[in-house]
């Protein structure tokens, strides 16, 4: 399957893969330096417990960021993922607390309902922004409010609780110290990597971000590819909702406020260009790790909440500046 | 500019016409709450609506806000109520300073104003020459009750941490101070105090990390129950059943946790009745009763297991 050959930018393909290795290596080195710093600064940082903690803590952001990578690669943005996650969690929460069903049926029903709810929001985002060629920034800003309002309406602004035990167990289960929910996230990264790098669909996602018109002229249905990118993002928001519920054993309609920004930050720190067409989901994985390690490590070394917030902001800005030079360097 | 004026005039006339249409002999009470996305205010609204129906001798007009920091829309709500000529305004201010001036205008328009839930700032009141009583719970006292429960369960010298609400929010500050009062009284050892912005997931992450940094923590004081739930889940994942947790608000989701001991205690400030009680007070004043003075404390109660 030589899918890569139909990429509109096939002459660039070799340099692109080299560049992507260099990009990821840069982020990887930054992450390693951070880990090195925190392990010297805090005796607890590299403890088995803390590593489990970090893996748990980055899971939801990573899941959201995987979907976000697809949208940003086509040159879009999805501001609604935090709200969509809350909406999906409330829908799944309503399903899982239905009376008169067994635990297994309830869990299956809730997972399907939550994932479907997320996907529907994603499809709407995609259809509306692609059909009318509207900026996804505005459309997903609309969805941010629609989904949040729907979550509050359906739940009556009440926290939904008391889920089947098996569901809760899944949320806190560890395999050799690795949270099962993190393995779910990692599986999504692997699937996304395969789709983006080894399928026609994936190469066209890059293609649309690079030169939408060229892809269209080559006879590909750009509309549907865009809808697909947004529905993948909605899908991951639905999966994040299920993980949220399993971990915390509640569904809160005010969950996930501002999560979209962390997901976008993970993607951008991971070296994916905000203007689309360039980046990788492996970068996103590293980006999510950088944010998670930072949040964890800065608490461990005892920095105040406010300083912590400033440093996190600073890292995002530095990442974008680096990206600017990276783009300039690779263009010349 | 002209257009703006026209729009404002049009809006005013619409509001006026509705207030004329509603003019029967029942007094009209405008209730202004904070974010209705917050379970606490949602329950409060339900309580007020049930109250209005039960009493039946006044008309309730309730408004909430989009989120906790949207105080612009609260100011607009006060102005709208003034234009509508309501008889009383019962308000839970989103900002204890910004709301003083608009409320002063309402009082000058002859409207009975009752400030509940969050107290207006004393300095701002003095500056504007406003004399207004406060009807509400003692957040600091309530947090102290929860902290006391933790202190007596753990004993002197116990190592504790605080999970705070939104930095800058008045009730978050009061609850933190109440926890600190309990820390001082029971001679507890306060290791760390951090915000999780009232949110379950963030509390879960922040506390899990605090526990790593201080594995010898014995007690946790969370400024609301949503965050207490996140702490309890973090303790469960870490397999620590020796650490005691207290919360605040007594929301339904934590009652099973209090029953089975995962949560030591929470504090009920009867939010559902708070608006209704304030409306009662407003109607008493309207009926010719004496003006309220100082701080009318509403009940708070420690909710603990057997």
């Amino acid at each position: 399957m030589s899918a890569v050959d139909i990429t509109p930018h096939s002459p660039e393909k070799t340099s692109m893969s080299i560049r992507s290795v260099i990009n990821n290596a840069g982020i990887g080195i930054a992450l390693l330096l951070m880990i090195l710093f925190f392990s010297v600064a805090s005796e607890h940082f590299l403890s088995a417990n803390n590593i489990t903690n970090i893996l748990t803590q980055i899971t939801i952001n990573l899941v959201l960021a995987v979907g976000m990578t697809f949208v940003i690669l086509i040159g879009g943005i999805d501001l609604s993922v935090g709200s969509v996650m809350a909406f999906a969690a409330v829908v799944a929460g309503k399903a899982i607390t239905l009376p008169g069903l067994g635990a297994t049926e309830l869990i299956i029903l809730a997972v399907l309902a939550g994932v479907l709810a997320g996907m529907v929001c994603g499809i709407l985002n995609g259809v509306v922004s692609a059909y009318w060629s509207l900026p996804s920034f505005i459309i997903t800003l609309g969805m941010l409010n629609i989904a949040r309002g729907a979550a509050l309406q359906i739940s009556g602004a009440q926290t939904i609780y008391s889920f089947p035990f098996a569901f809760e167990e899944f949320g806190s289960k560890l395999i050799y110290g690795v949270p099962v929910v993190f393995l779910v996230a990692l599986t999504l990264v692997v699937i996304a990597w395969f789709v983006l790098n080894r399928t026609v669909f994936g190469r066209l996602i890059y293609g649309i971000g690079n030169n939408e018109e060229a892809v269209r002229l080559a006879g590909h249905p750009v509309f549907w590819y865009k809808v697909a990118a947004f529905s993948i993002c909605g899908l991951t928001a639905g999966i994040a909702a299920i993980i949220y519920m399993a971990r915390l054993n509640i569904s809160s309609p005010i969950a996930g406020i501002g999560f979209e920004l962390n997901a976008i930050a993970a993607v951008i720190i991971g070296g994916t260009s905000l203007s689309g067409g360039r980046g990788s989901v492996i970068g996103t994985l590293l980006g999510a790790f950088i944010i998670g390690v930072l949040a964890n490590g800065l608490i461990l070394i005892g920095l105040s909440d406010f300083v912590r917030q400033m440093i996190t902001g600073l890292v995002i800005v530095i990442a974008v500046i680096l990206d600017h030079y990276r783009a300039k360097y690779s263009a010349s | 500019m002209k257009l703006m004026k026209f729009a404002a005039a049009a809006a005013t006339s619409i509001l006026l016409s509705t207030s004329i249409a509603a003019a029967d002999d029942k007094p009209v009470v405008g209730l202004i709450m904070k974010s209705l996305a917050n379970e606490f205010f949602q329950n409060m609204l339900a309580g007020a609506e049930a109250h209005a129906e039960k009493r039946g001798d006044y008309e309730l007009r309730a408004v909430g806000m989009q989120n906790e920091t949207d105080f612009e829309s609260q100011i607009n709500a006060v102005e709208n109520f003034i234009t509508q000529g309501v008889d009383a305004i019962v308000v839970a201010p989103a900002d204890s300073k910004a709301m003083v001036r608009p409320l002063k205008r309402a009082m000058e328009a002859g409207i009975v104003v009752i400030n509940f839930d969050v107290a207006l700032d004393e300095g701002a009141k003095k500056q504007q020459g406003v004399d207004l009583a406060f009807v509400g719970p003692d957040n600091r006292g309530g947090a102290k009750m929860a902290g006391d429960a933790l202190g007596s369960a753990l004993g002197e010298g116990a190592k504790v941490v605080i999970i705070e609400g939104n930095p800058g929010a008045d009730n978050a500050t009061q609850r933190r101070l109440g926890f600190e009062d309990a820390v001082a009284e029971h001679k507890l050892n306060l290791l760390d105090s951090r915000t999780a912005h009232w949110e379950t997931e963030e509390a879960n992450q922040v506390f899990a990390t605090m526990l790593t940094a201080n594995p010898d923590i014995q007690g946790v004081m969370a400024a609301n129950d949503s965050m207490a739930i996140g702490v309890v889940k973090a303790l469960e994942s870490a397999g620590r059943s020796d650490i005691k947790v207290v919360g605040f608000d007594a929301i339904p989701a934590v009652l099973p946790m209090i029953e089975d001991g995962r949560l030591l205690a929470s504090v009920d400030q009867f939010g559902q009745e708070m608006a209704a009680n304030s409306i009662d007070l407003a109607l008493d004043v309207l009926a010719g009763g004496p003006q309220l003075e100082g701080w009318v404390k509403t009940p708070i109660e420690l909710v603990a297991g057997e």
Side-chain angles (χ1 to χ4, degrees):
Chain A
M1 188 164 91
S2 56
V4 184
D5 293 338
I6 65 155
T7 307
H9 284 255
S10 45
E12 274 188 31
K13 71 176 187 221
T14 42
S15 70
M16 252 181 77
S17 58
I18 294 167
R19 205 192 304 153
S20 105
V21 169
I22 294 170
N23 284 352
N24 288 339
I27 307 156
I29 289 167
L31 179 61
L32 279 178
L33 286 176
M34 250 166 155
I35 291 174
L36 202 67
F37 170 77
F38 284 125
S39 46
V40 172
S42 162
E43 48 172 334
H44 300 292
F45 183 76
L46 280 186
S47 68
N49 270 341
N50 195 50
I51 291 170
T52 304
N53 271 348
I54 293 176
L55 296 180
T56 313
Q57 289 169 7
I58 71 164
T59 297
I60 287 179
N61 190 30
L62 177 57
V63 171
L64 292 174
V66 167
M68 187 69 77
T69 308
F70 282 82
V71 170
I72 293 183
L73 278 176
I74 63 166
I77 195 95
D78 188 345
L79 297 179
S80 68
V81 292
S83 295
V84 170
M85 186 190 99
F87 170 66
V90 167
V91 170
K94 281 286 171 192
I96 208 166
T97 50
L98 284 175
L101 286 173
T104 318
E105 288 95 339
L106 283 175
I107 292 173
I108 294 171
L109 188 69
V111 170
L112 288 178
V115 170
L116 201 67
M119 246 185 126
V120 167
C121 295
I123 291 172
L124 287 176
N125 278 335
V127 167
V128 174
S129 59
Y131 185 80
W132 284 285
S133 298
L134 295 168
S136 50
F137 185 92
I138 298 298
I139 301 307
T140 58
L141 186 61
M143 181 57 80
L144 179 152
N145 286 301
I146 296 168
R148 180 70 61 190
L152 288 162
Q153 182 64 37
I154 294 170
S155 65
Q158 308 288 316
T159 305
I160 305 170
Y161 61 100
S162 114
F163 301 156
F165 181 69
F167 191 55
E168 205 181 330
E169 208 180 25
F170 158 74
S172 48
K173 200 173 176 63
L174 303 178
I175 297 177
Y176 298 110
V178 179
V180 171
V181 290
F182 177 74
L183 294 177
V184 172
L186 208 57
T187 310
L188 289 176
V189 172
V190 172
I191 295 173
W193 181 86
F194 182 83
V195 168
L196 284 172
N197 294 286
R198 294 284 181 269
T199 68
V200 180
F201 170 77
R203 298 320 296 172
L204 286 173
I205 290 286
Y206 281 96
I208 289 171
N210 273 319
N211 191 339
E212 189 179 326
E213 210 40 46
V215 178
R216 200 189 310 272
L217 290 175
H220 298 289
V222 170
F223 173 81
W224 290 111
Y225 285 99
K226 283 184 159 180
V227 171
F230 279 97
S231 27
I232 290 169
C233 197
L235 170 83
T236 54
I239 296 171
I242 302 299
I243 294 175
Y244 180 99
M245 290 167 65
R247 270 192 51 213
L248 302 173
N249 207 26
I250 56 158
S251 282
S252 164
I254 55 166
I257 293 175
F259 280 21
E260 59 278 356
L261 300 178
N262 269 338
I264 293 168
V267 176
I268 301 305
I269 291 174
T272 296
S273 161
L274 253 185
S275 49
R278 190 164 50 83
S280 83
V281 74
I282 303 299
T284 299
L285 172 69
L286 296 172
F289 261 103
I290 285 185
I291 293 178
V293 164
L294 206 57
N296 175 279
L298 293 176
I299 292 182
L300 285 184
I301 63 173
L303 276 188
S304 87
D305 290 328
F306 306 144
V307 177
R308 201 157 61 91
Q309 196 172 2
M310 285 161 63
I311 293 180
T312 311
L314 210 59
V315 167
I316 296 172
V317 173
I318 292 172
V320 179
I321 294 173
L322 288 180
D323 184 62
H324 167 81
Y325 282 106
R326 207 152 51 197
K328 223 166 131 181
Y329 167 77
S330 49
S332 61
Chain B
M1 196 58 212
K2 221 173 194 173
L3 189 69
M4 290 270 287
K5 267 188 189 152
F6 172 74
T12 313
S13 62
I14 291 165
L15 290 171
L16 280 175
S17 61
T18 55
S19 71
I20 291 162
D24 49 27
D25 45 357
K26 283 185 190 174
V28 179
V29 177
L31 171 64
I32 303 175
M33 286 162 297
K34 292 202 274 180
S35 171
L36 292 179
N38 182 330
E39 205 163 336
F40 181 72
F41 287 101
Q42 196 70 39
N43 292 339
M44 186 184 279
L45 175 62
E49 280 170 346
H51 178 260
E53 194 153 321
K54 199 172 141 216
R55 269 189 72 135
D57 61 348
Y58 72 98
E59 186 195 329
L60 177 70
R61 289 186 198 164
V63 292
M65 309 152 48
Q66 292 278 330
N67 61 56
E68 294 285 341
T69 52
D70 181 20
F71 45 80
E72 180 84 26
S73 72
Q74 271 204 337
I75 296 175
N76 293 341
V78 173
E79 281 162 359
N80 289 344
F81 279 144
I82 297 175
T83 325
Q84 292 174 35
V86 299
D87 299 287
I89 292 177
V90 176
V91 55
D95 186 286
S96 52
K97 294 192 180 75
M99 287 302 285
V100 175
R101 190 190 290 267
L103 289 175
K104 185 186 178 192
R105 278 204 292 276
M107 292 167 78
E108 284 165 357
I111 298 171
V112 171
V113 175
I114 304 278
N115 162 217
F116 78 109
D117 181 47
V118 173
L120 290 170
D121 185 72
E122 285 302 324
K125 276 200 280 190
K126 211 164 277 170
Q127 196 194 351
Q128 299 276 332
V130 176
D131 187 20
L132 193 60
F134 169 59
V135 180
D138 182 357
N139 271 297
R140 185 170 180 167
K144 168 110 184 341
M145 280 164 72
D148 284 345
L150 187 70
S152 21
L154 295 176
E156 216 167 274
K159 293 174 175 159
V160 297
V161 293
I162 297 175
I163 308 289
E164 302 170 33
N166 275 2
D170 184 60
N171 51 350
T173 310
Q174 293 303 319
R175 289 177 195 182
R176 178 173 54 78
L177 291 173
F179 289 146
E180 286 170 5
D181 291 345
V183 165
E185 186 172 316
H186 295 267
K187 301 196 174 61
L188 302 174
N189 180 2
L190 182 63
L191 298 178
D192 203 355
S193 183
R194 289 186 179 277
T195 179
H197 302 99
W198 302 123
E199 219 276 317
T200 309
E201 151 83 6
E202 193 177 340
N204 182 271
Q205 301 199 5
V206 166
F207 177 72
T209 309
M210 286 163 97
L211 184 60
T212 306
N214 309 288
D216 49 351
I217 290 176
Q218 293 167 276
V220 188
M221 298 181 263
N224 79 351
D225 282 340
S226 298
M227 297 191 294
I229 292 173
V231 170
V232 167
K233 293 306 293 181
L235 289 174
E236 281 174 14
S237 329
R240 296 285 297 267
S241 54
D242 56 318
I243 298 176
K244 301 213 180 316
V245 187
V246 292
F248 203 108
D249 285 342
I251 63 172
V254 300
L255 299 181
M257 294 182 174
I258 293 179
E259 230 162 76
D260 63 23
R262 281 178 291 167
L263 195 66
L264 181 68
S266 184
V267 177
D268 196 345
Q269 50 176 342
F270 304 99
Q272 187 137 9
E273 287 113 77
M274 204 190 292
N277 290 340
S278 306
I279 292 169
D280 278 337
L281 292 169
L283 292 172
D284 287 348
V285 176
L286 274 178
Q291 292 289 332
L292 303 176
E293 271 173 30
W295 184 354
V296 183
K297 284 191 185 176
T298 53
I300 43 174
E301 192 179 281
L302 189 76
V303 182
E306 297 304 304

